Amino acid sequence: SAPGLSLGLVAFRLSAYARQRRRKPYRFFISHHKAGAGSLARLLKFHLEQAVKEKVWIDCDDLHNLELLLDYVWMSAQVVALRSPDMILRPWCVGE
């Protein structure tokens, strides 16, 4: 029936809208120790953005306030940790 079809279409559009609102602004957060993996993080960011056509976050791009660092982790769908010898010795890396 026409009313049932219209109601179904409205429900479908509302569902798509709700999914879009829950979507995080960054697909990946790349966690790394700058001295141990900074260049690799930059290269990985470039390739991931090309592959997934979504935003990837690393701290040297947009971190003006270190207190917001963990907020960027929460704004990312996935965290990629680039392990290096000093990574576990850095409090911010461990926090990420």
Side-chain angles (χ1 to χ4, degrees):
S1 72
L5 182 61
S6 295
L7 187 57
L9 183 58
V10 168
F12 176 76
R13 294 295 297 157
L14 285 174
S15 174
Y17 175 75
R19 281 193 309 273
Q20 184 67 18
R21 299 246 325 137
R22 284 193 304 262
R23 185 177 223 180
K24 297 188 175 197
Y26 298 97
R27 174 73 182 271
F28 296 103
F29 176 99
I30 300 177
S31 177
H32 67 288
H33 175 248
K34 191 171 286 193
S39 296
L40 178 59
R42 170 71 54 205
L43 183 63
L44 180 61
K45 178 190 177 189
F46 174 79
H47 285 289
L48 284 173
E49 286 181 335
Q50 296 297 313
V52 300
K53 305 293 188 231
E54 293 183 56
K55 292 164 89 177
V56 176
W57 198 89
I58 59 175
D59 59 0
C60 55
D61 283 347
D62 189 29
L63 186 61
H64 304 290
N65 182 352
L66 195 57
E67 292 177 4
L68 297 177
L69 180 64
L70 298 181
D71 291 340
Y72 283 101
V73 175
W74 287 106
M75 291 188 302
S76 302
Q78 296 174 305
V79 174
V80 176
L82 298 180
R83 291 177 36 193
S84 62
D86 290 333
M87 185 178 190
I88 61 169
L89 303 175
R90 302 293 183 194
W92 288 108
C93 293
V94 172
E96 295 165 2

